[in-house]
Amino acid sequence: MVLRRLSLRTRFALIVGGIVCAFCVCSALVLYVYLKEKVIQDTYRRGQIVFALMDGIGAYVGNTLRPRMFNLTSHLSDEDSFVAEAMSTTRIRHGVMENLGPKHSEFLYRRVTDVPRNPINHADAFHSRMIDYFRVGGRENEWHGISAQDGVKYFYIMVPVYVKAECLKCHGTPEEAPAGLIKLYGNRNGFGYSEGELMGLESISISLSPALQEINQIAIQLSAIGVFAMLFLFIAIDGTFLKLIGQPLRRLGTLFENIATGAIHLRHEVPVERMDEIGELTNSFNLMAHNLAEAEETMQTNAEILQSIIDGISDPLALVNEDGSLSVLNRAYQECIANSSPAVLGQHGGMDADMPGGSSQDAMLKKVFSTGKAASGEWTGPDERCYFINIYPIHNDSGQVHQIVHYVRDITIHKQSENQMMQMEKLAAIGQLSAGVAHEINNPLSIIHCYAKLLQRDLPTEHPAVEDARVIDRNAEACRKIVDGLLSFARQGTTRKERLQLNAALMSLVEMLEKQFKERGIAFTTRLDADLPEFLFDPERIRQVVMNLLVNARQAMPRGGAIKIDTRYIPDDHMAEIRIQDTGSGIVPENLDKIFNPFFTTKQTEGGTGLGLSVSFGIIKEHGGKITVESTPGKGTTFLITLPVETEDE
């Protein structure tokens, strides 16, 4: 992990340095092993020469010198019959090596045994173990190897010494041994051997410490040379790498960084100054940058086209991520967010945070994410507006939903238009029915009314039937008014539009009713838009609508209250608004959709026909406008009338 964080130059230098260092160490080890082996081979060869010399001396003593000495000493006294310095091969060999000592002190020759005749030839522990080795191992001719003694390494060559026939004269039985030998060494040690028996061993030990020290010095010197060579090679390779690879790569890296940060445009082309791999890399970089620039421009163009298409959709449209955040949204969606519309998600929050808690649309969004199937339907928000919601899933390569398309259409006006169309159709049907019923009822009702009048005229004043005739007359008159209302509803009259000032028409009506309403504890408040221009409308029929609404407001405030009349001009839409707000008892929610229906009334005591609001609805519709209502029980009712501002007769 640490190596990955280093620069390419540093890693290259460390790897090359490590290779060179490993090569130097391996070379030093190989040289050390080779030199050590050569020293051992040379030491073994020199030891073999010494052994050959000792064998030659032994052969000369045994074959020539000793027999001659026995002949010369045969006439001597017993104690002079054996001359150890001339007849003992062991004594002679030791003497020869002692004389070689000053010039060849690295050689140490010994001829030892477990039970020596001469105590100086007694085997130490190491030689005793080697004697046992030859005794157990059979008739081996030689052993050589390295052994440390007192902290010093020696190379040993050991040869077993077996008893020969000519050796039995001195090592057989004491009775057969020369008297001089017995007198010199006694008759206890060095006797009792038989031919072929292992007597002891000869060993030559050569100290390896000087040679090994020399080898170590050579290895150290070679390692030092290798270190200096490695350092020189490291510097040379590092400089070469920096010149040929490091600096060009750094320049390319800087270009990459500048392009990534936007400091340099992708169209910027790096000049190719070399024809090697770096030049090929630079050329590939230019080609890649060119292709990326084209891809970026194409993607930007496509994104702009796509955004233009999305923005061209008048309804809110957005791409929603799994966490509820928005990745793409059109202008209409942004406007809905700015206006805090409940039908859309917030710019940064999730579904749970921005959607109305527990709403069906929230459930739709979660269901699409979980099932991967599209969903759509109508949804009424807390703002009482109606929306058509369409949610479409977008799957990734593994088939999971990672985004959804959230499409919203405000269909409030459409729903209102449908309701108004149904209302108009209902009114037309009821109007036709009312006209027929009124026509059929009006004639017999006129007869009843006529005969009731005749009875009142012809009967004496004191007659008890006079009061009955009056009751019949009053109820016939009430029926006639109902029939006239039906005829009025059926005919709807003729609209005669005039170019007038709406504010003036409303103020004349308020001035006419103000005293009457004040007697019942009801105060008027007006706020009329001075910018409202003159436009075409039927003053009498509009006054009829407003009068009807004001009378309804008065009936909803039996203990008094306030009525507020506002007008507003909307120049962008060329519309005029009349807002009539009271502080009355209000309308319960389940009746709001019914108040414009013919014959629907809640006036149980005042005998309303239920045709006033239906007629008002028809008058406003004939003017090309709309009438809507908002009400809260106990807090009052607000009627909103919208009329098109027409300034010229068509």
Side-chain angles (χ1 to χ4, degrees):
M1 294 298 294
V2 176
L3 188 61
R4 292 182 178 178
R5 298 177 183 174
L6 301 177
S7 63
L8 181 62
R9 172 189 174 189
T10 304
R11 280 189 284 170
F12 180 80
L14 288 176
I15 292 173
V16 172
I19 294 173
V20 174
C21 182
F23 176 78
C24 292
V25 172
C26 292
S27 299
L29 290 175
V30 171
L31 180 62
Y32 176 80
V33 173
Y34 174 75
L35 292 177
K36 183 179 178 181
E37 187 64 27
K38 290 294 290 181
V39 167
I40 292 174
Q41 291 178 1
D42 182 65
T43 303
Y44 178 71
R45 183 178 56 81
R46 289 190 295 160
Q48 289 292 335
I49 293 174
V50 173
F51 264 114
L53 177 62
M54 293 297 103
D55 289 342
I57 293 173
Y60 175 76
V61 171
N63 297 330
T64 303
L65 184 59
R66 185 186 297 159
R68 181 64 177 166
M69 290 298 297
F70 274 125
N71 291 332
L72 291 176
T73 60
S74 59
H75 62 282
L76 298 177
S77 59
D78 290 340
E79 56 253 359
D80 296 328
S81 61
F82 185 80
V83 182
E85 290 80 0
M87 301 175 69
S88 174
T89 55
T90 301
R91 185 78 171 267
I92 293 171
R93 293 183 186 195
H94 285 164
V96 171
M97 292 305 299
E98 288 176 0
N99 290 326
L100 289 175
K103 293 183 179 180
H104 300 280
S105 60
E106 71 272 18
F107 291 100
L108 178 62
Y109 176 82
R110 294 192 67 187
R111 190 179 176 95
V112 297
T113 183
D114 289 336
V115 187
R117 179 173 288 162
N118 190 345
I120 64 173
N121 297 326
H122 191 280
D124 57 18
F126 176 64
H127 286 80
S128 294
R129 289 196 301 272
M130 294 308 300
I131 291 173
D132 292 337
Y133 168 77
F134 282 109
R135 184 174 288 120
V136 175
R139 300 186 64 85
E140 293 189 18
N141 294 326
E142 181 185 295
W143 178 89
H144 61 270
I146 299 174
S147 178
Q149 301 296 328
D150 299 328
V152 180
K153 290 184 178 181
Y154 292 92
F155 182 78
Y156 285 92
I157 302 176
M158 295 186 179
V159 176
V161 177
Y162 296 99
V163 178
K164 298 179 181 179
E166 62 267 20
C167 298
L168 294 177
K169 185 173 181 60
C170 296
H171 295 282
T173 61
E175 291 78 11
E176 296 179 357
L181 178 64
I182 299 299
K183 183 166 179 64
L184 182 63
Y185 295 111
N187 59 0
R188 296 184 62 182
N189 297 325
F191 295 101
Y193 290 100
S194 58
E195 185 177 356
E197 184 180 356
L198 179 65
M199 180 184 295
L201 56 82
E202 287 182 289
S203 73
I204 294 177
S205 60
I206 306 170
S207 176
L208 293 178
S209 295
L212 293 179
Q213 289 178 357
E214 186 177 356
I215 293 174
N216 288 336
Q217 291 178 355
I218 294 174
I220 292 173
Q221 291 173 357
L222 179 62
S223 298
I225 294 173
V227 169
F228 284 110
M230 181 189 70
L231 182 60
F232 174 77
L233 183 62
F234 180 84
I235 295 174
I237 292 176
D238 184 65
T240 304
F241 180 87
L242 180 63
K243 179 68 176 176
L244 297 179
I245 300 176
Q247 292 178 350
L249 288 180
R250 184 175 297 172
R251 286 195 295 270
L252 287 177
T254 303
L255 286 172
F256 271 117
E257 184 177 356
N258 291 334
I259 288 176
T261 57
I264 297 179
H265 194 268
L266 282 171
R267 290 291 186 182
H268 177 78
E269 187 167 334
V270 183
V272 180
E273 300 174 351
R274 300 160 55 173
M275 302 303 294
D276 54 7
E277 288 80 358
I278 297 298
E280 294 178 359
L281 179 62
T282 304
N283 189 42
S284 299
F285 170 80
N286 290 332
L287 181 61
M288 181 190 68
H290 178 74
N291 292 335
L292 284 176
E294 290 185 349
E296 182 184 38
E297 292 170 358
T298 302
M299 184 173 62
Q300 183 67 28
T301 302
N302 293 337
E304 292 175 356
I305 294 174
L306 180 61
Q307 189 63 45
S308 299
I309 294 174
I310 294 176
D311 287 338
I313 300 174
S314 59
D315 297 321
L317 178 68
L319 195 63
V320 186
N321 300 319
E322 281 187 279
D323 59 355
S325 61
L326 307 177
S327 56
V328 178
L329 59 162
N330 66 354
R331 187 175 292 108
Y333 209 99
Q334 295 174 0
E335 292 176 354
C336 288
I337 293 175
N339 296 329
S340 300
S341 172
V344 299
L345 298 172
Q347 180 66 57
H348 303 291
M351 286 183 291
D352 291 335
D354 295 292
M355 291 305 300
S359 68
S360 59
Q361 185 176 190
D362 188 18
M364 288 171 61
L365 290 168
K366 293 181 178 179
K367 183 177 180 181
V368 171
F369 269 116
S370 61
T371 63
K373 297 181 180 179
S376 61
E378 294 183 3
W379 177 76
T380 301
D383 57 353
E384 300 300 329
R385 301 190 67 82
C386 188
Y387 303 92
F388 181 79
I389 308 298
N390 193 346
I391 304 173
Y392 184 80
I394 298 178
H395 300 83
N396 55 19
D397 295 337
S398 60
Q400 297 179 340
V401 180
H402 69 108
Q403 287 181 317
I404 61 171
V405 177
H406 186 216
Y407 172 75
V408 180
R409 175 182 292 176
D410 189 339
I411 59 173
T412 305
I413 297 177
H414 176 71
K415 296 293 289 185
Q416 291 176 349
S417 298
E418 286 184 352
N419 293 335
Q420 290 176 356
M421 184 64 69
M422 293 173 60
Q423 183 73 13
M424 291 299 296
E425 292 176 356
K426 186 186 301 183
L427 292 176
I430 294 176
Q432 293 177 0
L433 176 62
S434 299
V437 171
H439 178 73
E440 295 297 328
I441 293 177
N442 204 30
N443 290 332
L445 191 60
S446 297
I447 296 173
I448 294 172
H449 181 67
C450 179
Y451 276 95
K453 288 290 186 181
L454 291 175
L455 286 174
Q456 292 181 58
R457 187 190 64 181
D458 296 338
L459 289 175
T461 307
E462 302 84 14
H463 196 281
V466 172
E467 183 61 29
D468 294 335
R470 291 175 181 170
V471 171
I472 294 172
D473 184 47
R474 286 198 303 270
N475 284 279
E477 181 64 21
C479 290
R480 187 185 64 78
K481 290 182 179 180
I482 293 174
V483 171
D484 290 343
L486 288 173
L487 289 173
S488 176
F489 172 74
R491 297 191 188 98
Q492 290 289 314
T494 303
T495 301
R496 297 181 178 85
K497 294 182 180 181
E498 301 179 31
R499 185 184 179 91
L500 297 171
Q501 174 57 254
L502 178 63
N503 290 341
L506 294 177
M507 282 304 299
S508 64
L509 180 62
V510 170
E511 291 172 356
M512 181 183 69
L513 299 175
E514 188 172 14
K515 183 177 180 181
Q516 178 186 354
F517 275 59
K518 186 176 181 180
E519 292 177 353
R520 301 190 61 171
I522 300 174
F524 278 105
T525 302
T526 59
R527 187 174 62 183
L528 307 179
D529 190 351
D531 295 331
L532 186 62
E534 292 183 350
F535 65 96
L536 295 173
F537 66 93
D538 188 328
E540 293 303 324
R541 295 176 70 80
I542 294 300
R543 281 163 58 91
Q544 179 184 352
V545 172
V546 176
M547 173 71 82
N548 189 16
L549 296 179
L550 293 178
V551 170
N552 288 343
R554 183 192 65 186
Q555 294 171 350
M557 296 183 290
R559 296 182 180 86
I563 298 176
K564 183 179 180 182
I565 302 176
D566 296 343
T567 61
R568 185 168 72 99
Y569 176 53
I570 307 175
D572 293 339
D573 298 333
H574 299 287
M575 302 293 287
E577 285 185 354
I578 306 173
R579 186 182 300 271
I580 301 174
Q581 183 177 0
D582 64 52
T583 59
S585 58
I587 305 171
V588 294
E590 56 268 23
N591 290 338
L592 283 176
D593 294 336
K594 305 175 184 178
I595 61 173
F596 295 111
N597 292 341
F599 308 111
F600 178 80
T601 181
T602 59
K603 302 170 185 177
Q604 302 298 331
T605 60
E606 298 185 14
T609 63
L611 295 173
L613 289 178
S614 297
V615 172
S616 299
F617 183 88
I619 293 172
I620 298 301
K621 193 66 179 177
E622 287 179 1
H623 278 75
K626 296 188 301 181
I627 179 170
T628 58
V629 61
E630 295 179 359
S631 183
T632 302
K635 295 184 179 180
T637 303
T638 301
F639 281 90
L640 179 64
I641 301 171
T642 305
L643 298 172
V645 176
E646 300 175 359
T647 57
E648 296 181 1
D649 294 330
E650 296 182 357

